[in-house]
Amino acid sequence: MVGTKSDVSRTTLPRRQLGRALRDARQANGYTLEQVAEVLEISRSALGRLELGQNEKIKVRDIEFICQYYGLPEERTEYLKLLAEQARVRPWWEDFRNLVRPGFNTYLQLEAAATELHFFQALIIPGLLQTPDYARSVRSSAPMGSSADADWLVERRIQRSAILTRRHKPMRAEFLVHESALRTVVGSMRIMSSQYRHLADMGRRENVSIRVVPFTAGFPGGLAVPPFIIIDFPHGEPSVVYTEGAIGTMIFEDADDVNRFRVIHEALNGAALEEQGSRDLLRTMARRYEQ
């Protein structure tokens, strides 16, 4: 588990994914660190730091050479090179790290590398599903920085949602949204009505599932379940769970912790309305708010 209360845009999580994959590939070939270091003409300690995710200066060409030496297939090599590039590139949100929730920049890195996302949200409409007006109203309720900064962050939030609608390999995402998040009025009735219709429309996409956990379901996941996101990665990379609260975030990497969240998610999933029923509820709420 990784807890954060400050800027962690340089977190070792993405690098550890790369390091873990390289370590597994080395061990699968039966090589020791000493053997590989000698062949690649690097120090054993440098290779060890790379496998532990402690090397911040990662060269993509080195990763490619290592992958070739291990005999990894091209698709796997390209994925690990992508992880290396993400570890090197200055993230777009770094200049705005004081404007975002502590630790959220870590989530953005993980989201960029993910193949599937599983959300539970009981407090607010998930960011990837927010309309521009809803997002602006949320931002205005927690002022940080100038209005220009706020507008910039809202624009980036909306741009991020393109991962759900892009033509090439749109992100698969499953959203469980508690009815309490839907009933909380953000901005105005007009904004909420538009937001409900947007949710209903997004839920019709093949790669997106949106289901409502109704008040009548009680507490299927137990008391005090925080908002969380289960993040799945390609090529069998271990999943992680991102959670957030008022003063910070936590990322769970341990397999037992991730499995506990999956159990909670399945309980919530079992209590949620079906997709069509959820869309019907959303459209009904939209009509009521319009009146």
Side-chain angles (χ1 to χ4, degrees), residues 37 42-43 73 81 103 109 117 148 208 243 251 278 291:
I42 61 176
S43 69
K81 286 168 60 179
Q109 290 185 358
L117 304 169
V208 177
T243 68
I251 296 175
S278 297
Q291 296 173 359

Side-chain angles (χ1 to χ4, degrees), residues 249-270:
T249 64
M250 302 188 81
I251 296 175
F252 296 84
E253 298 179 88
D254 185 81
D256 289 339
D257 291 333
V258 174
N259 287 334
R260 289 190 184 98
F261 274 99
R262 289 199 188 277
V263 170
I264 293 172
H265 187 272
E266 284 304 310
L268 293 165
N269 191 58

Side-chain angles (χ1 to χ4, degrees), residues 31 40 58 65 74 84 93 97 102 128-129 139 151 157 191 200 208 239 246 253 288:
Y31 299 143
L40 300 181
I58 301 174
F65 185 42
E74 182 179 353
W93 56 84
R97 59 186 177 274
L128 291 179
L129 297 176
R139 176 57 56 182
D151 289 342
R157 172 173 291 187
I191 289 174
V208 177
S239 301
E253 298 179 88
R288 288 177 179 173

Side-chain angles (χ1 to χ4, degrees), residues 69-267:
Y69 180 65
Y70 291 159
L72 298 181
E74 182 179 353
E75 183 181 5
R76 180 65 166 171
T77 298
E78 290 302 315
Y79 170 65
L80 297 185
K81 286 168 60 179
L82 176 62
L83 285 181
E85 289 174 353
Q86 291 175 344
R88 307 171 54 239
V89 175
R90 178 184 174 91
W92 59 260
W93 56 84
E94 187 169 286
D95 290 336
F96 291 82
R97 59 186 177 274
N98 294 325
L99 301 179
V100 300
R101 183 183 297 276
F104 188 66
N105 36 25
T106 303
Y107 167 75
L108 293 175
Q109 290 185 358
L110 298 174
E111 180 185 85
T115 54
E116 194 160 344
L117 304 169
H118 306 268
F119 291 76
F120 170 66
Q121 180 56 263
L123 305 175
I124 194 172
I125 304 299
L128 291 179
L129 297 176
Q130 292 178 7
T131 64
D133 285 343
Y134 185 98
R136 291 188 188 94
S137 297
V138 169
R139 176 57 56 182
S140 65
S141 67
M144 296 176 67
S146 67
S147 59
D149 291 338
D151 289 342
W152 189 91
L153 289 172
V154 169
E155 181 181 347
R156 291 302 177 275
R157 172 173 291 187
I158 301 306
Q159 288 181 352
R160 276 179 48 228
S161 65
I163 65 174
L164 300 178
T165 58
R166 63 194 179 199
R167 287 188 176 184
H168 181 63
K169 294 183 179 180
M171 181 75 71
R172 296 192 61 83
E174 178 186 30
F175 298 88
L176 296 177
V177 183
H178 198 278
E179 189 174 350
S180 58
L182 300 177
R183 301 289 182 181
T184 301
V185 176
V186 175
S188 68
M189 298 292 191
R190 179 189 60 81
I191 289 174
M192 293 305 299
S193 176
S194 177
Q195 178 65 71
Y196 297 145
R197 293 194 182 280
H198 179 66
L199 289 173
D201 291 341
M202 287 295 296
R204 296 180 61 86
R205 299 187 62 86
E206 290 186 3
N207 60 302
V208 177
S209 172
I210 300 175
R211 299 176 62 198
V212 177
V213 181
F215 284 130
T216 54
F219 301 100
L223 294 173
V225 176
F228 65 83
I229 308 170
I230 302 173
I231 309 169
D232 295 330
F233 302 99
H235 307 293
E237 293 294 334
S239 301
V240 301
V241 176
Y242 171 86
T243 68
E244 60 184 17
I247 60 173
T249 64
M250 302 188 81
I251 296 175
F252 296 84
E253 298 179 88
D254 185 81
D256 289 339
D257 291 333
V258 174
N259 287 334
R260 289 190 184 98
F261 274 99
R262 289 199 188 277
V263 170
I264 293 172
H265 187 272
E266 284 304 310

